[in-house]
Amino acid sequence: MALTPRHSQPNAPAYAPQPAHLAQPAHPAAVEANEAIRALVDARAGQDWSSVESAAYEVLLIEWAAATRTAATGDIIEAA
């Protein structure tokens, strides 16, 4: 698997409004996992990934998904 670095689109607004459910601060574990994912992808941009790097990426995605799910369910208020 080879990924390319992220590039901002020319003429894209510097600030794009986000949906209300995304505007809330992220859970610290989700932020940490997201930063690790970005670092891994950026470090290997344009290169083939080893099986170890692919596995590390998959683990980080699972950690991020679990952290975002935890953050989202913490905001749910159940009706009586």
Side-chain angles (χ1 to χ4, degrees):
M1 170 171 67
L3 298 176
T4 57
R6 297 177 316 274
H7 296 289
S8 61
Q9 297 177 352
N11 303 328
Y15 169 78
Q18 296 193 6
H21 70 280
L22 296 177
Q24 301 170 7
H27 190 276
V31 172
E32 184 177 321
N34 190 44
E35 289 173 357
I37 290 167
R38 288 178 186 267
L40 179 62
V41 170
D42 287 346
R44 300 298 298 162
Q47 302 175 31
D48 288 334
W49 288 26
S50 71
S51 58
V52 172
E53 291 164 330
S54 294
Y57 178 74
E58 186 174 341
V59 168
L60 288 169
L61 286 177
I62 292 167
E63 290 175 1
W64 174 84
T68 56
R69 185 172 31 254
T70 301
T73 59
D75 296 336
I76 295 174
I77 300 172
E78 294 185 28

